[in-house]
Amino acid sequence: MVSNKSRDEILKLFENVLEATKVHGDAGYAAGIEKITDEDVRALAFEVGVSESKRISTKKAREGIRKRIQESLLLSSHRPPGI
């Protein structure tokens, strides 16, 4: 099956998981990603550049999304003030 969400809706899912991870760490990531359907997880992996295709296993998609979340957190912690 394929996600029926728009690109903006899929990217909002990423923001939700990112925020949950910022607040609650690994538990927040796990809780956030579990709320997302498998179809949406695969679509999210595609949107954040984990896969060039939406034909990726859910497990690999989740692993890739976790890496993108970690990258985002790392980059946001190194932003100069005022940006």
Side-chain angles (χ1 to χ4, degrees), residues 33-73:
I33 203 76
E34 287 301 318
K35 292 178 184 176
I36 304 174
T37 66
D38 289 350
E39 293 82 12
D40 291 345
V41 166
R42 289 190 295 272
L44 178 55
F46 174 78
E47 290 299 337
V48 299
V50 171
S51 173
E52 293 181 13
S53 166
K54 291 182 184 172
R55 292 179 165 244
I56 183 175
S57 74
T58 304
K59 180 181 177 185
K60 285 187 180 194
R62 286 188 173 139
E63 290 169 359
I65 292 165
R66 180 180 206 94
K67 288 178 185 176
R68 289 293 189 260
I69 293 284
Q70 291 169 338
E71 289 170 358
S72 182
L73 291 172

Side-chain angles (χ1 to χ4, degrees), residues 4-5 13 15-16 23-25 29 37 46 59 70 73:
N4 62 356
K5 289 186 171 54
L13 294 174
E15 293 299 324
N16 293 343
V23 174
H24 301 288
Y29 171 80
T37 66
F46 174 78
K59 180 181 177 185
Q70 291 169 338
L73 291 172

Side-chain angles (χ1 to χ4, degrees), residues 75-83:
L75 289 171
S76 68
S77 69
H78 287 95
R79 286 187 183 153
I83 292 183

